Amino acid sequence: MNSIHPYLIFNGTCEKAFLFYQSVFGGEIPYMGKFKDMPPSDDPNCPPAEGDDAERVMHVSLPIGPHTILMGSDSTSQSGDVAFGNNFSVSINTESRAEADRLFNGLSAGGNVIMPMTNTFWGAYFGMFTDQFGIGWMVNFDEQPK
C-alpha cells in the first residue's frame, strides 16, 4: 500500500520547528541531515552548500503515528524562500519503482517537473513536481526499505 506524508518546508527554522513538534508528539527523530552533509555532485545545477545554506536542514523525519511521518526541510538561497501556501508538499512512498513512475507520470501531467525520477545518494528512487493545480508532490521508492 502506498503511504502519504506531509512534507513541510521552512526558511531556516526547520530544526527549531521539528524539535518543537517532537516535544509535542514525542518519539525520536531518526534522521536530521543538513545541506553540508550532502556528498559532492557532478551536477552543475547542484553546487555544494555554503554559508548559512550549509547549516540548513536538507531533510528531517519524525514518526507521529504508526503510519504517518512528518517530514521537512529548509529552503536555500538557490531555491529561494518559501511563502505560506507553497511551503509544503505531499510525499508519496510507493511499494515499487513501477508504481513510483506511474504516479509521477500521471500526477505531473500538465504540471512542472522540478526533479525527474532518479536514483539518489540516500538510496531512494525519487522525484518532485508541481501538478497542474499548483500542488507540490514528492514521489519516493525506498530501494531498501528502512
Side-chain angles (χ1 to χ4, degrees), residues 99-145:
E99 182 72 354
D101 285 334
R102 185 185 75 75
L103 292 172
F104 185 93
N105 293 333
L107 290 167
S108 67
N112 178 39
V113 172
I114 298 163
M115 179 181 177
M117 293 301 297
T118 189
N119 293 317
T120 64
F121 71 86
W122 63 87
Y125 183 56
F126 177 83
M128 298 185 331
F129 61 91
T130 303
D131 72 16
Q132 61 184 310
F133 304 103
I135 303 299
W137 293 84
M138 300 173 172
V139 177
N140 187 84
F141 169 64
D142 289 319
E143 295 286 351
Q144 298 180 359

Side-chain angles (χ1 to χ4, degrees), residues 80-95:
D81 282 349
V82 293
F84 291 106
N86 72 352
N87 60 334
F88 73 95
S89 291
V90 179
S91 177
I92 303 173
N93 284 4
T94 66
E95 293 184 345

